[in-house]
Amino acid sequence: MTTTTRAHPGPTDPTGETMERPTTATRATTTAQTAQTAQAAQTAQAAQAAQAAQTAQTAQTAQAAQTAPAPDAERLRRWRMVLGSDGAETTGPALTGRDAAMDGALNALYGGGAGRKPGDRGPGGRSAGLGASAPSVARWLGDIRTYFPSSVVQVMQRDAIDRLGLASLLLEPEMLEAVEPDVHLVGTLLSLHHAMPDTTRETARTVVRKVVDGLEKRWESRTRATLSGALDRSARISRPSHRDIDWDRTVRANLKNYLTLPGRDGAPSRGTVVPERLVGHGRAARSVRKDVVLCVDQSGSMAASVVYASVFGAVLASLRTLSTRLVVFDTAVVDLTDQLDDPVDLLFGARLGGGTDINRALAHCQSRIVRPADTVVVLISDLHEGGIRGEMLKRVAAMKASGVQFVALLALSDEGAPAYDHEHAAALGALGAPAFACTPDLFPEVMAAAIEKRPLPVPDKEPPP
């Protein structure tokens, strides 16, 4: 018997027609198509999200580019600050805010409107000029201390005094309270102190005291350590203990006893020095071992040197094993040795300006020398001699022949050598006293070398002729 299996009728559609029930194959196909559709949708959604993120990133980049200055904007800004108002038309938009204030302070000193007060408006609305009004200058000094570092402020103050003739305003107490103290300001005050009214003199001493205390703090410990060691080493003893042997001088003293010894077992030969004579340095003592004479030119160009020499003179005078004398000169000679305990009093005892008579100053120093072999004379001068040139050189030659260590410094400052007399410098060099500029940092080493009677640490680069 044959059995026929009929499929169950499927559901009917709204019209009453019978709908076929999907078979397994049909259902699988439909499921696959649905999965593909879903995957495609997810892919499209991910692509849309990535595109949206990229669009947002592009928008942010564009916004940042609009907000941040162009790569050359900072360069143009710097050039604008350098060129001043003359460069306003070629270096982009006008300055605003802090930049405009800095530009005004610079233009007041270096701009073309010098002579107007800082509050006046020059071309383009920019202020220029310092005028001769103390309140205006005091405000300007406050501005530059706000906008610039201390080292720049000191340079600008110096330029204002030199370019605009503001030295007379420093005679007013409110001006001195507004300035940034430095060595060059002290030099200016010293040149003016004879004209200072009583109301300003004490303020000026306070400014000078602040600078001097800073310089002493900077160099005192190093100078004392360097020179104390040099003084100890300069006390030679012929039978030193092992720990007191000065090996460098011992080797040099026995180079004549150099021997070449053959090597053993094929080794190369080697040399040795037989130390017949030992050279040693003694221990620290309380007695005076060396005399130092500082002979300082106080002509106008040597202002910074006078300040530094006074500070170092006070430090040297505090060493018990040194006897220090300080002499300043122009056409007259002033011995300030009795004021070495207070550099401020010493500085106010100097008189900057005037001519130069080096021969007369050296004659005074030479007359005070009692132990030539233990004396160091330091001449600090630009060597523009107004006295008798031949006599000056003869005195130097006579001092060196007697055993004096003679040191010639064209300047004692950080600025290098000023204009100086090259002919006199060459003549001193021929006498064995090279003339060179010395920075305050190098001065302790120069003095140590002179005390030990060894070659001076002359800088490699000599001043240009």
Side-chain angles (χ1 to χ4, degrees):
M1 176 175 155
T2 305
T3 302
T4 304
T5 302
R6 296 181 60 186
H8 294 283
T12 58
D13 62 13
T15 61
E17 294 295 330
T18 301
M19 299 175 60
E20 292 292 331
R21 184 179 298 274
T23 62
T24 302
T26 303
R27 196 161 48 242
T29 302
T30 303
T31 303
Q33 291 176 347
T34 302
Q36 291 176 353
T37 302
Q39 183 177 3
Q42 292 176 354
T43 303
Q45 184 178 3
Q48 291 176 355
Q51 184 176 4
Q54 184 175 3
T55 302
Q57 184 176 2
T58 302
Q60 290 176 353
T61 303
Q63 183 178 3
Q66 293 176 357
T67 304
D72 291 336
E74 177 63 16
R75 185 179 303 170
L76 291 175
R77 169 186 167 274
R78 291 175 178 269
W79 274 113
R80 170 61 183 82
M81 299 295 286
V82 170
L83 297 175
S85 58
D86 293 339
E89 297 180 357
T90 59
T91 53
L95 299 175
T96 59
R98 184 181 178 88
D99 287 347
M102 293 174 64
D103 182 58
L106 291 168
N107 205 36
L109 177 58
Y110 302 108
R116 291 192 295 270
K117 299 177 183 179
D120 295 341
R121 294 289 173 180
R126 293 173 176 79
S127 62
L130 292 178
S133 168
S136 295
V137 176
R139 285 195 300 271
W140 178 79
L141 289 169
D143 288 343
I144 64 175
R145 293 176 72 173
T146 300
Y147 300 128
F148 302 99
S150 177
S151 58
V152 177
V153 170
Q154 294 173 6
V155 173
M156 294 180 71
Q157 285 179 173
R158 197 184 320 160
D159 288 346
I161 293 171
D162 294 340
R163 292 164 59 94
L164 304 177
L166 300 182
S168 60
L169 292 179
L170 295 176
L171 301 180
E172 302 183 25
E174 62 270 21
M175 281 291 298
L176 289 180
E177 294 172 356
V179 295
E180 183 78 17
D182 72 323
V183 171
H184 299 280
L185 177 63
V186 170
T188 301
L189 292 178
L190 295 180
S191 66
L192 296 172
H193 81 272
H194 292 292
M196 284 183 182
D198 293 338
T199 55
T200 305
R201 193 176 301 276
E202 193 57 37
T203 306
R205 290 183 68 89
T206 301
V207 173
V208 174
R209 173 73 64 186
K210 182 177 180 180
V211 174
V212 168
D213 288 348
L215 294 178
E216 281 190 307
K217 182 178 179 181
R218 178 179 175 184
W219 285 305
E220 182 175 13
S221 59
R222 178 185 170 191
T223 302
R224 292 176 66 89
T226 301
L227 296 189
S228 295
L231 288 165
D232 289 345
R233 291 189 296 271
S234 67
R236 303 285 178 259
I237 54 178
S238 59
R239 302 180 67 180
S241 62
H242 185 270
R243 62 180 179 176
D244 290 333
I245 295 175
D246 186 337
W247 289 107
D248 181 61
R249 292 183 179 274
T250 295
V251 170
R252 283 189 287 171
N254 291 277
L255 286 177
K256 62 181 180 179
N257 301 321
Y258 181 85
L259 298 177
T260 301
L261 303 178
R264 296 181 178 180
D265 300 329
S269 60
R270 55 191 178 90
T272 187
V273 173
V274 179
E276 285 185 350
R277 182 170 65 89
L278 298 178
V279 180
H281 45 78
R283 294 296 176 181
R286 295 181 179 271
S287 60
V288 173
R289 289 181 176 166
K290 295 288 182 179
D291 298 331
V292 174
V293 180
L294 300 178
C295 187
V296 187
D297 185 345
Q298 62 176 353
S299 59
S301 60
M302 304 296 293
S305 298
V306 173
V307 176
Y308 287 125
S310 300
V311 172
F312 278 115
V315 174
L316 297 180
S318 67
L319 296 174
R320 290 177 299 180
T321 50
L322 277 182
S323 174
T324 304
R325 180 177 296 275
L326 178 65
V327 175
V328 297
F329 68 92
D330 43 30
T331 52
V333 180
V334 181
D335 196 319
L336 298 176
T337 303
D338 59 346
Q339 299 180 31
L340 278 172
D341 58 333
D342 188 342
V344 176
D345 287 341
L346 191 153
L347 285 170
F348 277 95
R351 184 184 64 187
L352 295 179
T356 308
D357 192 339
I358 303 174
N359 176 59
R360 186 174 183 179
L362 291 180
H364 175 86
C365 296
Q366 189 178 24
S367 68
R368 300 301 190 272
I369 296 174
V370 294
R371 302 188 304 162
D374 294 317
T375 300
V376 178
V377 174
V378 182
L379 172 65
I380 304 175
S381 173
D382 55 14
L383 302 180
H384 286 294
E385 171 66 309
I388 306 174
R389 175 183 182 273
E391 290 297 318
M392 177 193 76
L393 296 176
K394 287 181 180 179
R395 292 191 188 280
V396 175
M399 283 190 279
K400 287 191 62 66
S402 66
V404 171
Q405 292 295 107
F406 191 91
V407 180
L409 302 181
L410 300 172
L412 179 58
S413 69
D414 292 307
E415 280 72 33
Y420 66 97
D421 191 305
H422 296 270
E423 183 178 354
H424 288 168
L428 289 176
L431 294 175
F436 58 97
C438 178
T439 64
D441 287 328
L442 182 63
F443 186 75
E445 301 297 333
V446 170
M447 290 302 301
I451 287 172
E452 296 184 72
K453 298 185 178 181
R454 54 183 171 86
L456 301 178
V458 179
D460 293 335
K461 294 183 179 181
E462 291 294 326

